[in-house]
Amino acid sequence: MLHKVNTQTKIQSINEFVIKFANVNGSGSASANALFAKTVLRMGVVATPRNIFPSNIQGLPTWYEVRVSEAGHLAARGDTCDLMVAMNPQTWEQDIRSIEPGGYLFYDNTRHVAADQFRNDITVIGVPLTQMSNDAYENPRQRQLFKNIIGLGALAALLGLDTKAIEDLFTEQFKGKEKLVAANVQALHMGFDWVKTHLDDPVHIKVKAANTVGDRIFVDGNTAASLGAVYGGATVCAWYPITPSSSLAEGFANYCAKLRVDKETDRNKFAIVQTEDELASIGMVIGAAWNGARAFTATSGPGISLMQEFIGLAYFAEIPAVIFDVQRAGPSTGMPTRTQQSDIMTCAYASHGDTKHVLLIPEDPYECFEFGALAFDLADRLQTPVFVMLDLEIGMNERLSKPFQWDDSRNLDRGKIMTEEDLEAGNKFGRYLDVDGDGIPFRTYPGTHPSKGAFFTRGTSKDSMARYSEEGKDYQENMERLLKKHDTARHLVPAAIEKRAEKPTRFGVIYYGSTSPAMDEACQLLAQSGIHVDLLRVRAFPFGDEVKAFIADHEKTFVLEQNREGQLRSLLINELEINPAILVKIVHFDGAPITVGFVTDVISHKISSLQGA
Amino acid sequence: MLHKVNTQTKIQSINEFVIKFANVNGSGSASANALFAKTVLRMGVVATPRNIFPSNIQGLPTWYEVRVSEAGHLAARGDTCDLMVAMNPQTWEQDIRSIEPGGYLFYDNTRHVAADQFRNDITVIGVPLTQMSNDAYENPRQRQLFKNIIGLGALAALLGLDTKAIEDLFTEQFKGKEKLVAANVQALHMGFDWVKTHLDDPVHIKVKAANTVGDRIFVDGNTAASLGAVYGGATVCAWYPITPSSSLAEGFANYCAKLRVDKETDRNKFAIVQTEDELASIGMVIGAAWNGARAFTATSGPGISLMQEFIGLAYFAEIPAVIFDVQRAGPSTGMPTRTQQSDIMTCAYASHGDTKHVLLIPEDPYECFEFGALAFDLADRLQTPVFVMLDLEIGMNERLSKPFQWDDSRNLDRGKIMTEEDLEAGNKFGRYLDVDGDGIPFRTYPGTHPSKGAFFTRGTSKDSMARYSEEGKDYQENMERLLKKHDTARHLVPAAIEKRAEKPTRFGVIYYGSTSPAMDEACQLLAQSGIHVDLLRVRAFPFGDEVKAFIADHEKTFVLEQNREGQLRSLLINELEINPAILVKIVHFDGAPITVGFVTDVISHKISSLQGA
Amino acid sequence: MTFMAKPKFHHPQLQKNALGYTRRDYEGPVSTLCAGCGHDSISAAIIRAVYELDLPPHRIAKLSGIGCSSKTPTYFLGASHGFNSVHGRMPSVLTGANLANKDLIYLGISGDGDSASIGLGQFAHSVRRGVNMVYIVANNGVYGLTKGQFSATSDKGAKSKRGALNKDEAIDLVGMALQLGATFVGRSFSGDKDQLVPLIKAALNHKGAAFIDCLSPCVAFNNHDGSTKSFDYIREHNEALNSLDFITGRQEITVEYKPGTVETVTQHDGSRLRLRKIADDYDVHDRIAALSYMQQRAAHGEIVTGLLYVDPEPQDLHAHLNTIEQPLNSLGTHALVPGQTALDKINAAFR
Amino acid sequence: MTFMAKPKFHHPQLQKNALGYTRRDYEGPVSTLCAGCGHDSISAAIIRAVYELDLPPHRIAKLSGIGCSSKTPTYFLGASHGFNSVHGRMPSVLTGANLANKDLIYLGISGDGDSASIGLGQFAHSVRRGVNMVYIVANNGVYGLTKGQFSATSDKGAKSKRGALNKDEAIDLVGMALQLGATFVGRSFSGDKDQLVPLIKAALNHKGAAFIDCLSPCVAFNNHDGSTKSFDYIREHNEALNSLDFITGRQEITVEYKPGTVETVTQHDGSRLRLRKIADDYDVHDRIAALSYMQQRAAHGEIVTGLLYVDPEPQDLHAHLNTIEQPLNSLGTHALVPGQTALDKINAAFR
Ligand SMILES: Cc1ncc(C[n+]2csc(CCOP(=O)(O)OP(=O)(O)O)c2C)c(N)n1
Ligand SMILES: Cc1ncc(C[n+]2csc(CCOP(=O)(O)OP(=O)(O)O)c2C)c(N)n1
Ligand code: SF4
Ligand code: SF4
Ligand SMILES: [Mg+2]
Ligand SMILES: [Mg+2]
């Protein structure tokens, strides 16, 4: 039934809106929600979903927010939605509050809700989902599951979704289980028909088929990164479960099972160990990498903290090790299911003593794949730990992304390895000799040659021939070579990407990682209101010359990040010797993904106050 | 026998010289060496010894370097010495090399050394120590031990040491074992008499009684810090052995055994646990501190790395925890018996996520005591981890220091505690409520009240009433309060100490910790050559306003530190928003203590090149 | 199947114990665990045990690591201070807390992932130090909170919900605790309150390292066929060694049993554990025999439950450290700070 | 007292083994340990074992943690790659190395502090995973390198050099290894080469997790009266279970023994362990009995040495993981990178 509650001008929109599903976790709503997003995509309209879920398994509130945008915007728009599918009584009040004026509320009116529980400025659509489901099904599990599908059917009718597309998705999902397909189709139409029968097109937000998706794929960053690890030639994965990184390791296991089992023998070209903790994970990675396999771990903040001692060892003993850090809100256990970019400093300077590490910072699933593979080449070339810095927002949400690409002529770059043949040929080998002037020495794999090339690896100081040494000179030379190596890394890591504003401007913005869609869209909005900023997306540490040049080119550069301290800004100041006065810190760190609204507001404010001054 | 080897002008000096003993570790030379330093001190002349020892137990080279300085200089002078006591054939060559032209070599000529093993520009004094000892003693252990005492006797004769002072030291050392006293006195005179009989006063370096020691005490920093912990009211110590921090925990145990055993019951007012690792150490400290005891651990770099996760917990859950970090050369295992100041960044920003910690940085044993006690008050007041940053140089070497002082009217400041009475009186309690606007909330100890004041402590996000919360607003408010608390800390920690040059200058120097004596002396030397610099010794992080003011006051400020990266400089730039261009990095990081020579040279060079420019 | 129900009591909530507290005074906020989770039954058993022992709730400190199991301290004894620390490290935090104040009762709650994987070292060392505590592992053989990976107590050959087989040897925490010198060792099942509640009561009165391995099925991720930690599997393979009555020093023993079938263990504080033996030849004071009995039965697929070992005269860490009677956290300036006079002597020794 | 001597061989150094190597080819640089340290004797035993087994030195990887014991890999097998990692974490590094290349032999050297204190968790988990390795703990009951603190294997009641008494329960690594499923478990004494060398040889040929607890006195800090890890104490309390001959598959058995006194265990690779039994009723294949025997004897103050347990058909981690025959570190682009065609399919699945 439709409550007409003093409706204001209704929001009218085709293919540009935000819908939010408020659910209880563990209630089986997730798959119906995902169907919604996929259906929109199948209709050729960009849809970007975000899961907001608690750190618990069952019974607490979760939300699934979908931004539908024919214009192609992928970012979280702001704190509000246009249509709320309110299925969770626990959060009813806050859910109602978050609807835009003129927006819509969709709810299950099986249970009566008093009139004062609504708002006057929204359109309320009640559909008796539970009742329909209970009438149609006996089994409690079925009742629960099909209620969600009935709801989807109702939404399809209200928003003009292509039911054929949904039916196709059922067919793909339940391949071989035709009965299930039929049952789902039936439930879908139950909801659809109810709306068509009882309501008179109350929702003026619509999805219309379009052509903005193209060949893009819909995938989450953890899956993409795990595939990157497969293509990067990783054979050893040692990991310990932790939100939001577990699905990266689990994704690797899935892809390996598909792509890396030897056809003839049915045996595995990979080894995956779920370890007892993060110390063991990174220890195994280091052991495997020392022994010539490509190895990685995936973790999040607490794991990074636990790995500190070992990371220092890998730095000082010069062992390639790839670490995917899917960042979440810290410090400590923090908010395990919320997103943040707050491990930047911890990773860049990980471990006691003087260290400096290489970070790769992907913006989306495409780069998760690309950097995921690249990390292994870089680690081998540089013989040092390489961090790939994802965050929960990129890692655990599916989103549209360029399709993955691979150059089949590309070979794994194993870096400077001295082989048995090289040794046999009499090549001089000193494990820590800087033969090429780039700070990167040669290494041998254990077991290479019966009498040459063996060396002892240690976390203590040594001379260039890898002999234990407590000589100040040996120590200092080695430490300086490591700095040189870090400088070499500057030229190997992905360069920052610049986007110049249409009009010349004194203002630049530096941003990175999951901030990217919000920044891109905000930049357009700002330009529309006459505010122009040049953009630089940093993709790695150490920073290339282009970063310094960009900053030098602007009177003020805003550094936009999702942490409290402005950690990348600190890195920029410290490593590029920048005057802090010209780098303006902008931070968003409440654990929710940064929104277009936030970015637009804060930059326009900052600029107007700077211009006022 | 005295080899007169083409002697140049001999070094002539009274009470100003460096003597170095080259020994093999585990050979029992340590106590004779210490007697040397103490004798000089007893003669009223300042003597500062440094142990340079390997990371092993027996058989490798060690050195004991003593700077004798009536002028009172405590720093390492440079890489050379005036008199080398060369008792270790393994290091003969480098030992000979390190003697200043015109200097002296003292060696055991029982074994013949070919003439080409010496230098032409030094005076060589051979004394048949082994032979004398073997002639006089049967037992191999006695032979070994008394050889060292015979050597001391010979040196006493050569340098003019007061044998009475040495004899007194024997008497004190072997109180109640008169036989040992007599035996040692005999050996001493054997050496003394040999020199008087066979040599004609070849050494023109002398020690003469003076009056420059005053009431100062001769003690190492670890011992001082452990005493600080006793006076600071620490009752729980959880530690794991690691060089160079073990003697701090062991010192605490010693003092507790003396000062903290209940007379009546013979039971302990302290609990010390040698844990299974550093994670357990910091975990116990956190548990004890949560439960209202003052607790600490002592460790070094690798331990700090292992503690990272727990440190983040203590920060976020706001638990006082005192951590003594006796720094050594990193990264990784690095050089465990060499000194460095390279955990500054790791400690200041310890753990993943956004964190910021309080550091206290003592310069000498006096401040080790003072800050050792103060750390507990600060930790309780601020309810956060407090690091006391020693280093091997301060921690493990005895040196002259002001005597320890205590104000008997001082009470342990337990910070904001809500007691049973407060709760009973109806005071409102919310664990994370910022009632006073300083960011510091009240806490209750577990078990305080039957029905009020209990709360749940966690590493996850919470609201101000300590209830679990994943709300962005609660999270952000809490994180901002923590920043406010950090700002409050600025006013509570020891202020930096400024020493203005005699003449106005454009140049300042910031330094800290064990760099202090070298800087002080260098400052005098520079002034003598017309170079004036103002000094600021930073004693804590966060930095007080005086630090910012000092930097603002100077065109260039040199930041002098013992690490590769210039870590304190990074902190200054980052936290005070200083333009890096005005902070000049000067680093010394080969693991040896920074020397006067280094500081003088590098500052005069930098200044002349700046003035040239 | 009472063990499947959420902790709802059939008894009147408002009956008062000797201290005048109702059972509600021992409860906490509503649990956020899955409906039917074994862990909630353990919480209920703890509430009952503490209530029945007439312990003032605020004199108990609850500590835990991270995991679904480690969340439970939020849901019981709301008037107690609690500490949800970091993953696998509850034992050290508890040890420290215990050092600070020997007068509280320390209840450590952990999971199998928390204690047998990441926390194995801390578990072992806290036990061998004899920390006076009740250490309960809510053992479901799986990582609940991270959604169903094997834990180190998963049996070799056990099947995960997704069908993977576990190939690693299982860690038997009871075996470890016995080897490491725990002075009270029991195993129970969240579904068996009659066994679990007296076991917890006895452990709470034990003045040493008391360890209880409590099987506690995870209905979300480890309650399927092929799991060896499902409700059904445990019920079928449970072999109770003995059943226990816990009698405080104050209480009188009323019921009489036939000689031989009952053993009474008197603890240091006068409380008694009355064991009704089921396995006749089992000696609850023989650590070595207990260990080998456990292992033999385990090799036959049996899960032995009950009180497995107890030392009625345990020594705890405070005894080893010879600490004073008064809690360390109650000592003030006067007791702790030696003052300038002492310092003068110390200074003199350094000249 | 040969065990007191520095590793100097009475046999001619230059005699060649089947591979044409002399014993010198298995040595390393001069040890920097204290003269008389038990650890040096273990190094010597390793050198002899590897030499006599005709193993090419470079096919062995030596890994260790931190401590005097962990330094020893520098001093033997100079032609092997070595890895002196971080304190207590050798097991994970070794496991990773093993995963990368199953064709090398992995020799892990650790200390009692390294394995029983900080490294207990990694020790336990590497053992329960069945990593194919020889894991030797040079057990001196003390922290040598940090100058004499108690380690977790110090016996309760043992006295430190400074006179302090240890109050904590000792951790018995052999007991742990047995419980955790090690497939080869032995204990020996650095002073008893005749026992130690064949034990190491047998372990090197064992294709699973082989653990040897080797008592190895610290002459600097734990060789005094009151120590239970001194040379004298160990010699007096040593109870050898059996003595072992290791016979490779190639060798013939020549000497005959009376039936009953000798047991021959044939390993998977055809090598044989010939055990001359001293304790008659001891069954080297019964894990549970072994454990309880150990503990019983330990309770009587005896240190049982010898081969304590062996499974002649062990399964190792690679078997569990079903990895291919070829070492993973030898796989190249072709074997590992699926290429664009596969990617096209994957992309399609995401539309
Ligand atoms: C250092 C660290 N690593 C990983 C995690 C993620 N994590 C949270 S709970 C958990 C496992 C919990 O398993 P268990 O202790 O058995 O508890 P259960 O949920 O099964 O009751 C893990 C791995 C974490 N919180 N901290
Ligand atoms: C993380 C860390 N903590 C502490 C130390 C200091 N440390 C070096 S060796 C050692 C103990 C070694 O004892 P053990 O393993 O028994 O070897 P031993 O020297 O007795 O052979 C310790 C605590 C360290 N290197 N790293
Ligand atoms: S996931 Fe398992 S362990 Fe966690 S609450 Fe649910 S049933 Fe309990
Ligand atoms: S200190 Fe002990 S363990 Fe270390 S080398 Fe010396 S004798 Fe061996
Ligand atoms: Mg579990
Ligand atoms: Mg040891």
Side-chain angles (χ1 to χ4, degrees), chain A residues 55 57 240-243 246 274 277-278 299-304 306 328 333 336, chain B residues 309, chain C residues 33 37 39 65-71 86-89 110-118 137-147 149 151 153 216 218:
Chain A
S55 176
I57 302 302
Y240 188 69
I242 187 167
T243 308
S246 302
Q274 183 194 315
D277 63 14
E278 289 86 349
T299 190
S300 189
I304 295 289
L306 286 172
R328 65 191 211 184
T333 308
Chain B
E309 189 194 14
Chain C
L33 302 186
C37 175
H39 301 349
I66 300 281
C68 294
S69 32
S70 291
K71 283 184 176 187
V86 286
H87 193 29
R89 318 292 176 195
S110 179
D112 44 325
D114 203 57
S115 278
S117 298
I118 189 169
V137 167
N139 186 351
N140 54 16
V142 79
Y143 289 7
L145 193 55
T146 55
K147 306 205 163 179
Q149 301 86 1
S151 86
T153 66
S216 176
C218 170

Side-chain angles (χ1 to χ4, degrees), chain B residues 323-608:
Chain B
I323 300 164
F324 291 90
D325 178 10
V326 189
Q327 298 165 90
R328 64 190 213 186
S332 195
T333 308
M335 296 194 290
T337 61
R338 297 291 184 264
T339 198
Q340 232 174 35
Q341 302 175 314
S342 57
D343 297 342
I344 301 290
M345 284 285 269
T346 303
C347 291
Y349 298 137
S351 211
H352 63 279
D354 289 301
T355 65
K356 247 188 237 200
H357 306 287
V358 175
L359 315 182
L360 305 181
I361 316 176
E363 66 162 349
D364 68 355
Y366 179 81
E367 282 190 349
C368 287
F369 172 74
E370 191 182 324
F371 294 0
L374 177 65
F376 293 91
D377 279 357
L378 285 176
D380 266 350
R381 284 188 68 166
L382 293 163
Q383 298 174 29
T384 202
V386 172
F387 293 82
V388 189
M389 308 295 293
L390 285 74
D391 62 19
L392 183 141
E393 163 73 356
I394 300 182
M396 287 189 70
N397 289 308
E398 290 171 299
R399 71 154 91 164
L400 274 193
S401 153
K402 272 198 292 185
F404 304 136
Q405 275 172 345
W406 192 256
D407 172 2
D408 280 336
S409 70
R410 172 171 167 183
N411 277 311
L412 303 178
D413 176 355
R414 300 303 317 259
K416 299 189 190 175
I417 306 293
M418 202 156 276
T419 63
E420 188 176 5
E421 295 72 50
D422 298 334
L423 292 165
E424 204 51 56
N427 287 6
K428 174 167 178 162
F429 174 67
R431 172 65 183 103
Y432 298 108
L433 278 178
D434 184 8
V435 277
D436 302 317
D438 57 2
I440 307 173
F442 273 81
R443 62 179 181 138
T444 53
Y445 297 153
T448 295
H449 188 283
S451 60
K452 295 172 183 174
F455 65 92
F456 208 84
T457 303
R458 40 170 66 86
T460 42
S461 185
K462 57 249 156 189
D463 66 12
S464 57
M465 302 305 286
R467 286 174 302 228
Y468 183 82
S469 168
E470 292 175 353
E471 286 297 315
K473 204 173 132 288
D474 291 330
Y475 171 83
Q476 187 159 340
E477 273 175 19
N478 189 43
M479 288 296 282
E480 278 160 357
R481 183 180 53 74
L482 289 172
L483 266 190
K484 200 196 286 174
K485 187 165 89 166
H486 193 73
D487 193 60
T488 299
R490 286 201 309 125
H491 306 290
L492 299 177
V493 299
I497 292 180
E498 195 173 332
K499 289 188 204 164
R500 286 271 162 184
E502 277 169 26
K503 301 212 177 137
T505 169
R506 299 182 285 143
F507 301 110
V509 185
I510 287 178
Y511 63 104
Y512 57 100
S514 67
T515 302
S516 183
M519 185 65 243
D520 286 343
E521 186 178 351
C523 184
Q524 291 177 26
L525 292 174
L526 289 165
Q528 282 161 23
S529 57
I531 300 173
H532 296 278
V533 287
D534 292 332
L535 303 185
L536 187 78
R537 181 164 67 84
V538 164
R539 303 198 297 165
F541 174 75
F543 307 117
D545 296 332
E546 72 285 2
V547 180
K548 191 152 194 172
F550 180 88
I551 296 170
D553 247 25
H554 295 90
E555 207 176 292
K556 294 273 178 193
T557 298
F558 305 102
V559 187
L560 188 59
E561 7 188 358
Q562 301 185 51
N563 60 58
R564 184 187 70 182
E565 295 291 311
Q567 298 190 11
L568 191 92
R569 176 174 174 272
S570 295
L571 262 193
L572 289 166
I573 293 170
N574 193 40
E575 295 289 332
L576 300 180
E577 304 270 321
I578 307 289
N579 185 350
I582 63 170
L583 288 184
V584 182
K585 168 167 144 185
I586 301 182
V587 294
H588 180 279
F589 63 97
D590 70 358
I594 194 166
T595 63
V596 182
F598 172 86
V599 177
T600 318
D601 286 0
V602 69
I603 291 185
S604 60
H605 271 99
K606 293 258 178 194
I607 287 186
S608 67

